[in-house]
Amino acid sequence: MAIRELSSLEKYLGLKKPNKYTTQGDKKVPVLQNNNGPPLVGLVTVACHLVKEAKHAELLGNSAEDRAVVQQWLEYRVTKLDGGSKEDVRTILKELNAYLEDKVYLAGNQFTLADIILYYGTHSLIVDLSVQEREQFLNVTRWFDHIQHVPGVRHHLPPVAVLRNRIYTSKNH
């Protein structure tokens, strides 16, 4: 899955020449064989490299604090989201929901690599939720819907209808 995410990120960034990836280990950690040096290993390492290669440093954050927040969420993706069990899903969604309560993006008011990578990581979780379950996590759902509509981000993933129309009462559904 990470290789498809990196390929989609390349397309979003407008990189013309697609990279060749391999995986290593049981967890299928992505590896990019870099012509200019040793191989780059890991989703976050490769994603950050691609952003820098495409000269879109703003996706890593504009200030030192924003860059730290972006790195924090990238690490969260790899340690909590990718490393979590099915039982952890509700806890992860609750944490994200609370964090996003007063934010448009994960790094405050700026769209970053953290939004892209967490969108890819949460897609399968959101798809598996019922409409009622999605409504329990309104902030995550709002953020997810916003990110999936950023042009060029969704590439390999199908769109997800996230909120039902609030005009109707629940008895009409």
Side-chain angles (χ1 to χ4, degrees):
M1 185 67 170
I3 291 178
R4 290 180 73 189
E5 293 176 24
L6 291 169
S7 295
S8 291
L9 178 61
E10 284 182 0
K11 290 174 187 166
Y12 171 76
L13 293 170
L15 293 171
K16 303 292 183 216
K17 186 179 170 201
N19 288 292
K20 291 192 172 126
Y21 300 99
T22 59
T23 60
Q24 75 178 27
D26 295 339
K27 293 188 177 184
K28 305 237 182 254
V29 175
V31 178
L32 170 62
Q33 184 59 52
N34 192 355
N35 292 336
N36 303 330
L40 301 175
V41 180
L43 176 64
V44 172
T45 302
V46 175
C48 289
H49 169 77
L50 294 175
V51 166
K52 290 174 187 172
E53 185 181 359
K55 296 180 176 42
H56 284 289
E58 71 281 358
L59 288 174
L60 299 174
N62 287 327
S63 69
E65 183 179 341
D66 288 345
R67 286 188 292 277
V69 170
V70 169
Q71 285 301 313
Q72 170 188 308
W73 284 107
L74 293 173
E75 190 174 321
Y76 183 91
R77 158 67 197 270
V78 173
T79 58
K80 287 267 204 154
L81 201 55
D82 292 351
S85 66
K86 288 286 185 192
E87 295 78 40
D88 295 333
V89 169
R90 284 199 121 13
T91 302
I92 289 167
L93 291 174
K94 281 181 186 176
E95 288 174 357
L96 275 171
N97 201 59
Y99 181 80
L100 288 165
E101 187 172 352
D102 61 348
K103 295 170 185 63
V104 176
Y105 301 107
L106 291 169
N109 295 314
Q110 179 185 349
F111 177 73
T112 64
L113 179 62
D115 295 294
I116 297 170
I117 297 299
L118 252 78
Y119 165 75
Y120 292 153
T122 57
H123 189 277
S124 63
L125 302 180
I126 301 297
V127 166
D128 289 345
L129 295 176
S130 68
V131 172
Q132 292 79 13
E133 289 172 315
R134 289 180 195 150
E135 287 180 351
Q136 292 174 8
F137 305 106
L138 282 177
N139 300 320
V140 173
T141 303
R142 170 189 44 79
W143 167 82
F144 181 89
D145 193 42
H146 183 65
I147 301 305
Q148 80 172 344
H149 285 95
V150 171
V153 169
R154 200 177 63 229
H155 279 286
H156 71 282
L157 298 170
V160 178
V162 292
L163 295 174
R164 84 176 154 193
N165 191 336
R166 297 242 179 225
I167 295 173
Y168 303 106
T169 62
S170 59
K171 68 180 180 182
N172 292 331
H173 281 268

